[in-house]
Amino acid sequence: MKEFQKSQKLYNKGLENLVGAVNSPVRAFASVGGNPLFIKKGKGSRIIDVDGNKYVDLVLSYGPMILGHRHKKVQKSINKALKNGYSFGASTENEIKLAKIICDTFPGMDKVRFVNSGTEAVLSSIRLARAYTGKSKIIKFSGCYHGHQDSLLVAAGSGLATLSLPGSKGVPEDAVKNTLIAEYNDLESVKKHFENHDDIAGVIIEPVAGNMGVVIPQNKFLEELKTFLQSKGALLIADEVMTGFRSKFGGAQELLGVEADITCLGKVIGGGFPVGAYGARNEIMQMVAPLGEMYQAGTLSGNPIAMAGGISTLTELKKQDPYILFDRVGERIENILLDAAKKHNVDITVNRFGSMLNPFFTKVKVTNFKEAQTSDTKKFAVFFWEMIKNGVFLPPSQFEAWFLSSALTEEDIRVIENAVDRAMEKVAESK
Ligand code: HOZ
């Protein structure tokens, strides 16, 4: 039986000077009960908590650790970068190298601007869409999460869905008056907004949603969305913070064959260090200062350590080309979930897109936020804790994706299989 005494102690201590003892609400165990675990270290596919419990890690820092923890080559490149200095507030060669890898990979990006997080990438991309089109309104999809900037913190997934919050206190109505909400996989809901508004700058979407759990675009939804937006002179903004370099090297856009006007990246491109990026064709990026009049800046943007982490991660990722493997391993885990659910007579739906997946405790096919919310979150909580007890670290929320790394081994899959079987049994008993 796993013990969590040291985590518990740190949690109590953390409460004194940290909000909820965490630095991001999704890390709190609010919807699964109990208290957050404190992690000591990670290597490859595994992490160890402060009590010495080992886990196969399917959180992977919510996506960035695609090669697993402390990959040798990434570590080497970071050590090398550290010797040269941590930050200069001036340009370094590695910014050009990482930008080139990104622009060579995404055909819709001639230029890129580095920032420090996915949130920053998205908020800058919204400003850019407005600057370029001269229009104000942005459509977002219910259940998609684009970071914690004011204007998109409505009908959002991730931590808000986990905590059942419709929006955030402190966001003035004025900040969201230019945000319109549409339903994922429902083009008509987008079209309706265009019937009622003539000042729509663009639509932001997670091309594969990972923040209401995994939700996949159905029946050419993205292609049709893009064609429709083109006909209206509005921009398609792809939030590929999760899917960029993960669904495929060229992200969900490469896999789905849709090219966005503006792309937001984060997570994998920093190899675990804080970084984000947004980019587009030259004609759009021309708007950004110092070339144009859309202002956006950052003291630590293009940070040398993050650039080194990103370059080595992407270089190794390209070499490994793990996408077919991800699909095979993902399919095996999907089948492990489905088989265990069948064996223990539990209703589940599993959504998976390559190396992102998760089960919903519902019979319903999940293609949008409403359907995701039919999942029985109490069952998820039972499932979650039994997975933890049996050595698999999952996001403590029904509305977060699980991620796979290329460091997963056969032994890890056996651990997952055993844990899933026990967890489904517990869920069945909890009925
Ligand atoms: N779903 C979030 C990332 N897009 C998880 C990370 C966080 O908010 O802490």
Side-chain angles (χ1 to χ4, degrees), residues 58-69:
L58 298 183
V59 177
L60 295 169
S61 188
Y62 292 89
M65 311 315 300
I66 195 163
L67 303 173
H69 296 278

Side-chain angles (χ1 to χ4, degrees), residues 23-27 61-62 145-147 157-159 206 210-211 241-242 267 399-401 403:
N23 280 302
S24 194
V26 300
R27 296 178 201 168
S61 188
Y62 292 89
Y145 175 76
H146 305 287
S158 191
E206 292 179 77
N211 284 293
V241 170
M242 275 188 181
K267 302 203 190 260
F399 302 107
E400 297 288 346
F403 295 97

Side-chain angles (χ1 to χ4, degrees), residues 21-84:
V22 293
N23 280 302
S24 194
V26 300
R27 296 178 201 168
F29 282 24
S31 73
V32 292
N35 297 322
L37 300 180
F38 281 71
I39 305 304
K40 187 163 189 181
K41 59 183 177 182
K43 179 75 189 149
S45 58
R46 307 260 178 145
I47 52 171
I48 302 179
D49 70 17
V50 288
D51 288 284
N53 301 309
K54 293 192 178 83
Y55 307 91
V56 175
D57 184 13
L58 298 183
V59 177
L60 295 169
S61 188
Y62 292 89
M65 311 315 300
I66 195 163
L67 303 173
H69 296 278
R70 290 195 288 137
H71 188 280
K72 248 199 283 177
K73 289 189 183 157
V74 179
Q75 196 141 25
K76 201 172 156 198
S77 75
I78 290 158
N79 288 341
K80 196 174 152 202
L82 280 170
K83 284 188 187 142
N84 290 331

Side-chain angles (χ1 to χ4, degrees), residues 69-379:
H69 296 278
R70 290 195 288 137
H71 188 280
K72 248 199 283 177
K73 289 189 183 157
V74 179
Q75 196 141 25
K76 201 172 156 198
S77 75
I78 290 158
N79 288 341
K80 196 174 152 202
L82 280 170
K83 284 188 187 142
N84 290 331
Y86 317 144
S87 185
F88 306 109
S91 297
T92 57
E93 191 177 351
N94 273 352
E95 292 162 61
I96 302 172
K97 282 190 185 158
L98 187 56
K100 179 155 173 57
I101 297 174
I102 292 171
C103 293
D104 284 353
T105 306
F106 283 79
M109 290 165 99
D110 293 324
K111 282 191 176 60
V112 67
R113 166 63 61 83
F114 290 112
V115 290
N116 295 303
S117 67
T119 293
E120 274 187 60
V122 167
L123 75 86
S124 309
S125 76
I126 299 292
R127 189 179 300 151
L128 179 56
R130 288 176 172 148
Y132 180 72
T133 59
K135 294 176 179 171
S136 307
K137 294 209 161 48
I138 298 288
I139 299 179
K140 84 171 277 287
F141 292 94
S142 172
C144 283
Y145 175 76
H146 305 287
H148 63 90
Q149 62 148 319
D150 281 0
S151 75
L152 298 180
L153 221 41
V154 275
S158 191
L160 287 103
T162 308
L163 301 170
S164 304
L165 299 173
S168 171
K169 281 238 160 117
V171 174
E173 270 185 26
D174 258 13
V176 291
K177 72 169 192 257
N178 287 313
T179 307
L180 305 168
I181 310 296
E183 291 308 316
Y184 202 85
N185 276 319
D186 179 357
L187 188 57
E188 288 309 308
S189 69
V190 175
K191 288 183 176 170
K192 264 193 201 131
H193 285 310
F194 278 87
E195 282 162 22
N196 297 326
H197 304 274
D198 58 6
D199 58 345
I200 299 174
V203 172
I204 184 160
I205 188 166
E206 292 179 77
V208 173
N211 284 293
M212 47 176 140
V214 176
V215 174
I216 300 161
Q218 308 285 308
N219 309 325
K220 304 213 171 289
F221 172 59
L222 277 185
E223 292 92 316
E224 286 170 13
L225 176 63
K226 167 82 201 223
T227 310
F228 174 72
L229 294 180
Q230 260 172 339
S231 75
K232 295 288 177 190
L235 301 182
L236 177 64
I237 307 164
D239 178 346
E240 290 233 47
V241 170
M242 275 188 181
T243 51
F245 293 95
R246 174 169 279 285
S247 305
K248 218 31 185 156
F249 203 67
Q253 291 178 62
E254 182 185 341
L255 202 56
L256 299 168
V258 177
E259 192 179 302
D261 296 298
I262 305 178
T263 298
C264 304
L265 296 168
K267 302 203 190 260
V268 169
I269 64 160
F273 290 85
V275 72
Y278 63 99
R281 301 185 297 277
N282 275 327
E283 55 171 324
I284 300 177
M285 292 306 277
Q286 271 320 85
M287 305 297 301
V288 181
L291 298 182
E293 292 175 18
M294 186 214 101
Y295 195 73
Q296 180 276 310
T299 300
L300 292 172
S301 295
N303 173 264
I305 313 305
M307 296 296 105
I311 292 167
S312 50
T313 296
L314 296 188
T315 306
E316 177 62 17
L317 195 57
K318 189 160 196 180
K319 193 172 137 218
Q320 287 189 7
D321 194 12
Y323 302 99
I324 293 175
L325 181 78
F326 277 157
D327 214 39
R328 280 200 207 120
V329 174
E331 193 179 8
R332 281 176 72 188
I333 298 175
E334 182 178 346
N335 285 331
I336 286 170
L337 285 161
L338 291 170
D339 291 349
K342 197 168 170 197
K343 177 175 163 193
H344 297 290
N345 205 14
V346 175
D347 289 327
I348 62 163
T349 294
V350 181
N351 278 1
R352 183 177 71 82
F353 193 77
S355 62
M356 288 164 60
L357 78 158
N358 71 278
F360 294 94
F361 290 87
T362 178
K363 272 187 195 169
V364 170
K365 184 175 174 192
V366 177
T367 64
N368 60 32
F369 193 31
K370 261 191 207 129
E371 288 161 356
Q373 287 171 308
T374 64
S375 184
D376 185 333
T377 52
K378 287 201 183 85
K379 285 186 182 159

